[in-house]
Amino acid sequence: MRKILAALALTTAGFSSSAQADQSVVLVELYTSQGCSSCPAADKILAEIAGRADVLALGLHVDYWDYLGWQDTLAQPEFTERQARFNTIMKSRYRLVTPQMIFNGRDYVAGAKREKAIHYIDMLSKEPEQVDIKIERIGTSLRISLRPVSGSQRADIHVVRFIPKTTVAIKKGENAGRNVNYVNTVTEWSTIGEWDGKHPETIEQKVDGNADYAVIVQSKNLGPVLAARRLD
């Protein structure tokens, strides 16, 4: 699922960021499952915070509860692997648990705990981003422009495709009989290249012209997220 592609262009031309200078965007990854009875409450929290200008909220469905009688129709094993790696790096007492929210690759909340989630978002949104980032659609390509600021470091560039809204009728398992609404459900997560964190760079990536995308600049080895943006 992860696709490592070469960066296409390097530029030192003038730069104009689409983000406000005083606003940081916090990446919130919710690891969820249609087969988990405690997940719908967290799915609702994700839908709430997804409306905030300072949040990029993404839902990643995992597959390790499929044995309970319902195969998650949105799950991908790559998301299970990403969650497990995060919990190892963060030295969490969990390896795999749903629901779980991870904030900028640095902090986490296990369970549907709205107040704790809001606390992390409010705290992290006050911290300056380490990358000035601009993303725009140019025909069938996504153009990603990066410029280092204080604290920038070598990072991976991720392009994430997602479905803004979808409803699933769950017929078996712990949530049997429920229609659950999901927001910003990730369908593809691709690593398209590396950035040295020192020089301005512009990368173009072929995308589906009708799909929704976000870009995440994350320090190497699943380190802290340096910047995240949704394509408007």
Side-chain angles (χ1 to χ4, degrees):
M1 191 63 178
R2 291 171 177 262
K3 303 171 183 175
I4 311 297
L5 303 176
L8 300 181
L10 175 65
T11 180
T12 57
F15 186 91
S16 176
S17 174
S18 60
Q20 298 178 8
D22 59 349
Q23 182 181 36
S24 294
V25 175
V26 180
L27 173 64
V28 180
E29 300 173 52
L30 170 63
Y31 291 86
T32 185
S33 172
Q34 296 168 11
C36 161
S37 61
S38 57
C39 283
D43 297 320
K44 288 182 179 179
I45 296 172
L46 192 75
E48 175 190 349
I49 64 176
R52 292 181 52 154
D54 58 353
V55 171
L56 172 59
L58 298 176
L60 293 93
H61 285 242
V62 296
D63 60 358
Y64 48 84
W65 296 124
D66 288 358
Y67 77 93
L68 293 177
W70 176 256
Q71 185 171 349
D72 191 306
T73 60
L74 301 168
Q76 297 189 32
E78 291 86 352
F79 303 156
T80 298
E81 178 187 355
R82 180 175 172 87
Q83 183 190 19
R85 288 181 61 202
F86 259 136
N87 282 323
T88 299
I89 293 167
M90 294 187 299
K91 294 181 170 52
S92 164
R93 64 189 181 95
Y94 306 100
R95 183 176 184 274
L96 294 171
V97 61
T98 55
Q100 183 180 30
M101 286 185 177
I102 297 178
F103 306 87
N104 272 357
R106 293 171 44 184
D107 301 290
Y108 72 91
V109 169
K113 299 173 183 176
R114 181 184 180 278
E115 290 185 2
K116 285 189 175 182
I118 297 300
H119 166 74
Y120 280 125
I121 293 169
D122 289 344
M123 177 181 66
L124 293 172
S125 66
K126 293 183 176 68
E127 298 183 0
E129 291 178 324
Q130 296 183 34
V131 182
D132 279 342
I133 180 172
K134 177 183 178 182
I135 60 174
E136 55 186 334
R137 197 190 301 268
I138 307 294
T140 59
S141 294
L142 189 64
R143 180 177 292 171
I144 306 162
S145 300
L146 307 175
R147 188 180 69 178
V149 296
S150 177
S152 293
Q153 55 189 284
R154 184 173 295 276
D156 290 319
I157 305 169
H158 306 279
V159 172
V160 179
R161 180 175 176 169
F162 62 92
I163 304 171
K165 292 183 180 180
T166 188
T167 300
V168 177
I170 301 174
K171 300 178 181 179
K172 296 180 181 179
E174 292 187 349
N175 291 316
R178 301 185 66 167
N179 292 326
V180 182
N181 300 316
Y182 297 105
V183 300
N184 297 352
T185 303
V186 177
T187 59
E188 183 176 357
W189 189 299
S190 301
T191 305
I192 65 166
E194 294 184 7
W195 179 51
D196 66 7
K198 297 178 180 179
H199 303 95
E201 185 168 353
T202 296
I203 298 172
E204 291 191 3
Q205 171 71 17
K206 289 289 186 181
V207 294
D208 183 338
N210 298 318
D212 289 88
Y213 289 92
V215 174
I216 297 162
V217 182
Q218 184 169 18
S219 52
K220 299 292 293 181
N221 300 317
L222 284 188
V225 170
L226 307 182
R229 288 293 186 276
R230 174 177 176 161
L231 178 66
D232 293 326

